Amino acid sequence: MGRYVLRRLLQMIPVFIGTTLLIFLMVHALGDPIAARFGDKAPDPVVAAQIRAEFNLDKPLWLQYVLYFKGIFTGDFGTAFTGEPVIDLMARSWPVTLKLGLTAFVIEAVVGIALGLVSGLRRGRLTDTVAMAFTLIVISIPVFVLGFTLQYLLGVKWAVIRPTVSYGAPLNELILPGLVLASVSLAYVTRLTRTSVAENLRADYVRTAVAKGLPRRRVVTQHLLRNSLIPVVTFLGTDLGALMGGALVTETIFNIQGVGYNLMQGVRRQESATVVGFVTVLVIVYLVANLLVDLLYAVLDPRIRYA
Amino acid sequence: MPELTKTPVETEVPETGALAAAEPVREKARSLWQDAWRDLRRNPVFIISGLLITFLVVIAIWPGLIASGDPGDCDLAHSLQGSAAGHPFGFDQQGCDVYTRTVFGARASITVGVLATLGSAVLGGVLGGLAGFFGGWWDTLLSRLADVFFGIPILLGGLVFLSLVGGSLWSVITFIVLLGWPQVARIARGAVVTVKQQDYVQAARALGAGSTRMMLRHVLPNAVAPVIVVSTIALGTYISLEATLSFLGVGLRPPTVSWGIDISSASSSFRNAPHMLLYPAGALSITVLAFILLGDAVRDALDPKLR
């Protein structure tokens, strides 16, 4: 196990370098941050040179990448246009996104597994058919369409909730955005749980458990569900990282001032420091989440032996 | 071996329904494709989604068939008005006819979906297939490269890439192909590695077949099914992705008529005019649903394990 962890960590290094390099090249090689700062007006060459020197843009590209790479580890992501260090902006927005992401995660895990278990146990019956049709519809409706529709119906037409989330994002206002963010993954969790449950229902150990007279409830929770959850946990783990990145759309719709919201602002104002910083951290979160899933998988399923 | 045992197994299975009974028992072994086609022809899901997609493709090529107007023909006097005679879906903020725009929007979605799918299938299929076929350092390099692309959350990558390159039909397609090919490559690589170990490929090698002949005559026809399955399922996702990117303001840009753009512009005024949101959103969801259903049906037909 220890060797597996080490190997998996070592494997992450080239991926990490490659991914950051890709982001770096995309931002720095394709757009001129100085021109963006001056809008339509051509910048004064002296001022431009000064700004270039200040942001290390006069250095060769490889050195810029090294400096950027160093910044990732020292928490130095440069400054936003407002003069605020990007790291402060992150410190302000990450708690909000984490709260939203975790709300979505809980909804997705609880509702998805429950729905999947029920339809897996009643495979082929009405409950199952309805649940499967429901997941297909949810997968087909793009998140932003679902977000606007629910916002309109619940927030404006029936006025059950506030249509937008207020500053500081209190938890009770995050339930609807969380549901929207979770929707597609929820459908996948349901389908995955259903397939897994239906497959394991035919397993010998379930038959044995039933044959030795265990109550149905115990068979389902202790024997069936536990074994069926392994692929689901893998999916949930991978999704945790994806949820943080996917929060972009949900945060834009519900006006939640989290990571995605600030990233969108950065893109609209062409602030390369903000964009690169936020994207880099999101990618790191994504990679670490995937790593944790792989490790968790090894712990959960002792049948898998890693050399 | 599988080739030899196929005929008796196939004729043993009694076909349900009068259609099969009326047909004389065919001695000729059917290929995977003929089997899949037989399955698909009887699958109501395939028929419905197929008809819907045919309709959408026809509309995408000749939108004038069901909409006589011009999507750019707008009259501010009608701004935000509801449905009227000759304008069943009402008008948007600029006074454009929502029905015409919804019909013309199919073109962008279908074009992006089909071309991005073809691009990533060909690129991923060829690169992944070669990696699986030849192995060695090329395989290692490609797998690591795919890992790097996997490390980038797709929406974030799109935001950065497209905000720098500028959104147009071709840049959106290029971007989707760029981030979509690793998924296909992984599947293609896995399929080729499996097929390569089959007895008939080994036999061909023993008989002295060259690399090119083995690849084209033996490996390719047997490894292409999983690539088709994963591509068909991805098509719906790509359409949804294009709309999401256009909605975020980095995808297609206004002279192009796109459901994503229309939904985005509807978002500011849909509280007073929900029809602006409803029709493009509905059209988008139905299109994505049709492609996802098609993908499901194709997977069921082409995956022999599910038979």
Side-chain angles (χ1 to χ4, degrees), chain A residues 59-103:
Chain A
K59 308 230 167 38
L61 203 63
W62 66 268
L63 191 63
Q64 285 187 45
Y65 175 68
V66 172
L67 287 170
Y68 152 73
F69 201 76
K70 208 179 91 192
I72 295 173
F73 290 98
T74 52
D76 175 17
F77 291 101
T79 44
F81 274 11
T82 49
E84 193 184 10
V86 174
I87 190 90
D88 288 0
L89 202 59
M90 285 180 189
R92 203 144 38 80
S93 49
W94 264 106
V96 177
T97 296
L98 269 179
K99 216 155 45 163
L100 175 65
L102 288 177
T103 311

Side-chain angles (χ1 to χ4, degrees), chain A residues 11 14-16 18-19 22-23 26-28 30-32 136-137 139-145 148-149 151-153 156 163-164 188 191 241-242 245-246 248-249 252-253 260 263-264 267-268 270 275 278-279 282-283 286-287 290, chain B residues 144 147-161 163-165 175 179 233 237 240 243-245 247-250 259-260 263-264 267-268 270-272 274 277-278 281-282 284-286 288-290 292-293 296 299:
Chain A
Q11 253 179 17
V15 173
F16 179 67
T19 314
L22 206 63
I23 299 167
M26 256 156 61
V27 173
H28 284 254
L30 291 170
D32 184 6
L136 259 185
I137 290 169
I139 292 173
S140 307
I141 301 177
V143 175
F144 64 104
V145 171
F148 275 127
T149 314
Q151 187 186 39
Y152 171 70
L153 289 178
V156 182
T164 52
Y188 282 124
R191 302 195 123 209
L248 197 74
V249 176
T252 310
I253 294 174
L263 182 61
M264 271 311 288
V267 168
R268 289 204 176 120
Q270 289 189 291
V275 175
F278 272 90
V279 172
L282 277 168
V283 166
Y286 193 68
L287 287 177
N290 283 351
Chain B
R144 289 290 87 82
D147 281 349
V148 168
F149 280 92
F150 263 111
I152 300 176
I154 198 149
L155 218 50
L156 291 179
L159 206 60
V160 175
F161 181 83
S163 67
L164 292 162
V165 178
F175 166 72
L179 281 199
I233 293 174
T237 335
S240 177
T244 309
L245 289 169
F247 162 74
L248 287 174
V250 294
W259 293 328
I263 294 167
S264 173
S267 65
S268 53
F270 75 95
R271 288 171 195 197
N272 309 316
L277 178 77
L278 209 63
L284 175 62
S285 305
I286 289 171
V288 177
L289 180 67
I292 286 180
L293 285 176
D296 257 15
R299 186 195 52 207

